[in-house]
Amino acid sequence: MTKDKGPLGGSLMRPFPAPGSASWPVVTPIYPSVVYASETPDALDAQYEGRVSGYTYSREGHPNADVVANLVGAMEGIEGGTLTGSGMGAVTAVLMGLFKSGDHVIGGNQLYGRSLRMMKEDLPRLGFGVSLVDAGDADAVKAAIRPETRAVLIEVVANPTLRIADLDGIARVCREAGVLLVVDNTFTTPRALRPFEHGADIVIHSLTKLLAGHSDVMLGWVGARDAAIAQRLDVFAVTAGLTPSPFDCWLAERGMLTFPLRFEKAQANARALAEAMVDLPGMARVIYPGRPDHPDANRAAALVGGQGGNMLSFELTGGRAAANAFTAAARGLNFAPTLGDVGTTISHPASSSHRALTPEERGALGISEGFFRLSVGLEETEALIEVITAAVDAANRAG
Ligand SMILES: *Cc1c(COP(=O)(O)O)cnc(C)c1O
């Protein structure tokens, strides 16, 4: 497993050759075909028995999905993996494809909103036991483990507080208890962290975010270290119809080719912006995993090193009026609930991702009306600092 072997870990694939041509396209063709024809029943036998490789029906797999699955797999340091129609498809494949009624799973209590909802609403309805714990506390995970516990699902960087999970501590607990460790690596990306190297058994991605990176395609990926588990995930994804469309895969491949460059630029912007924002008037706090004043600075340094990523949160001292003034004044930056776009996007958890919580519950997480999360994009650094500084100024005047 090498970390810096070129833009995609040295894994750039040559597209399939064009029929009847000695030369080949430099871009992967799109294969929209739902079905694939074979020469004879014997040829089909050979394919189903794995003696030759080939496609049959696109829900079961198609070239565009395989190209993208292999790219993500190479970045995470495993072979292949399964592509799904969204990040939630990948979460579903793990939680519903591997376990059964009576099993118990543990989740981080600050997981992505829909993952949390699946654990709180859907899994109990299907007869699962579920416990939600602070992923910053490996002892809490250990205390939640029962004889019937099958898996622990965590994200390394919590949304929107950007707290850092005790990945190594939890990996140790899981290993000792014989429980699968599942890591949703969407926020961190394999550029900053490769969970399999820290003992994860299964890794999940929403490619919708940074990996595809242009807010024009929804896609997910799940990969497992153990071949038998990978196979079960793949079979479930096919059975449940989680397979993505060839065109979406093609868009994602195109986006992923520039992922390392986009990541570096967005991260450099986030670091510079955090630096510029800490001393602004009306700024209660700035949270960025690469900063020494981050609440989990030591853990961040150990896990992601200098790779603090592109996500930055901050809290204005003003309330809702200041928040309204901030988004209205942030010229050219979209106030929109996503992340990983080429442009900087602004999220206000109190009115979006965390609106279902009571003000007290939000308060316990440190999410006030003045709390914002930025997904920093690829703008020119000085221009971005200027726009944010002006928006904070407008917020101060309003709130
Ligand atoms: C967005 C996201 C998901 C879900 O991905 P979709 O592609 O939107 O279904 C899962 N986990 C994390 C951490 C996310 O940010």
Side-chain angles (χ1 to χ4, degrees):
M1 294 202 211
T2 49
K3 196 149 192 162
D4 285 304
K5 262 177 73 186
L8 288 163
S11 66
L12 286 172
M13 284 183 67
R14 175 167 291 177
F16 293 66
S21 171
S23 53
W24 51 87
V26 297
V27 172
T28 306
I30 303 174
Y31 293 82
S33 188
V34 161
V35 71
Y36 290 79
S38 303
E39 195 70 40
T40 60
D42 277 355
L44 203 52
D45 275 349
Q47 209 172 295
Y48 274 117
E49 288 160 14
R51 284 179 277 127
V52 297
S53 64
Y55 300 99
T56 52
Y57 187 62
S58 68
R59 181 168 26 73
E60 317 243 340
H62 53 75
N64 295 102
D66 284 348
V67 167
V68 176
N70 287 337
L71 286 178
V72 186
M75 283 196 275
E76 288 291 6
I78 65 162
E79 297 252 320
T82 298
L83 223 57
T84 54
S86 70
M88 282 313 299
V91 173
T92 302
V94 173
L95 293 176
M96 306 223 177
L98 297 182
F99 313 120
K100 62 180 191 310
S101 171
D103 287 346
H104 174 248
V105 293
I106 299 171
N109 61 7
Q110 281 196 65
L111 288 175
Y112 179 70
R114 283 280 155 186
S115 302
L116 212 47
R117 189 187 157 90
M118 185 174 286
M119 298 200 93
K120 282 185 184 166
E121 309 285 333
D122 298 296
L123 296 188
R125 175 172 52 76
L126 297 172
F128 287 62
V130 173
S131 301
L132 298 171
V133 301
D134 177 1
D137 184 354
D139 289 336
V141 173
K142 187 172 183 171
I145 287 183
R146 307 175 190 166
E148 66 274 22
T149 304
R150 296 289 169 263
V152 175
L153 168 62
I154 60 167
E155 292 166 22
V156 176
V157 176
N159 177 41
T161 58
L162 310 186
R163 295 298 300 261
I164 311 288
D166 183 3
L167 175 59
D168 292 326
I170 293 173
R172 203 174 312 117
V173 166
C174 288
R175 198 165 48 243
E176 283 166 10
V179 164
L180 294 175
L181 174 59
V182 185
V183 177
D184 179 338
N185 200 28
T186 301
F187 266 49
T188 14
T189 83
R191 196 78 188 164
L193 178 82
R194 304 216 296 182
F196 288 122
E197 292 172 359
H198 292 261
D201 298 288
I202 296 172
V203 173
I204 288 171
H205 274 286
S206 168
L207 273 66
T208 311
K209 313 295 171 48
L210 286 138
L211 290 184
H214 293 70
S215 294
D216 55 8
V217 56
M218 304 206 77
L219 222 56
W221 177 88
V222 57
R225 197 160 44 171
D226 178 86
I229 293 176
Q231 174 74 6
R232 284 166 63 201
L233 288 166
D234 202 69
V235 168
F236 180 80
V238 168
T239 304
L242 302 176
T243 321
S245 99
F247 181 62
D248 286 352
C249 296
W250 185 86
L251 276 175
E253 181 195 355
R254 182 192 165 112
M256 283 177 63
L257 298 177
T258 56
F259 161 70
L261 292 173
R262 287 185 285 101
F263 184 80
E264 291 305 318
K265 171 65 178 168
Q267 175 170 261
N269 270 353
R271 199 184 295 129
L273 193 55
E275 189 71 41
M277 287 174 81
V278 276
D279 294 325
L280 293 180
M283 192 60 62
R285 58 190 172 125
V286 172
I287 310 166
Y288 181 66
R291 288 185 57 79
D293 58 2
H294 185 280
D296 306 309
N298 290 341
R299 201 177 278 159
L303 280 179
V304 298
Q307 313 272 30
N310 79 314
M311 305 300 289
L312 180 167
S313 293
F314 63 92
E315 189 176 11
L316 300 171
T317 50
R320 177 58 73 95
N324 284 337
F326 177 82
T327 58
R331 191 169 33 82
L333 307 185
N334 284 315
F335 170 46
T338 189
L339 64 112
D341 188 35
V342 288
T344 296
T345 50
I346 304 169
S347 152
H348 182 248
S351 64
S352 58
S353 56
H354 291 66
R355 66 175 300 124
L357 303 188
T358 64
E360 291 71 34
E361 287 171 323
R362 282 198 293 270
L365 292 172
I367 301 170
S368 66
E369 282 291 341
F371 192 101
F372 281 97
R373 184 200 76 188
L374 297 181
S375 166
V376 179
L378 315 181
E379 292 88 353
E380 209 255 304
T381 314
E382 287 311 314
L384 183 59
I385 292 174
E386 211 170 286
V387 169
I388 293 288
T389 304
V392 171
D393 189 44
N396 290 340
R397 279 183 274 117

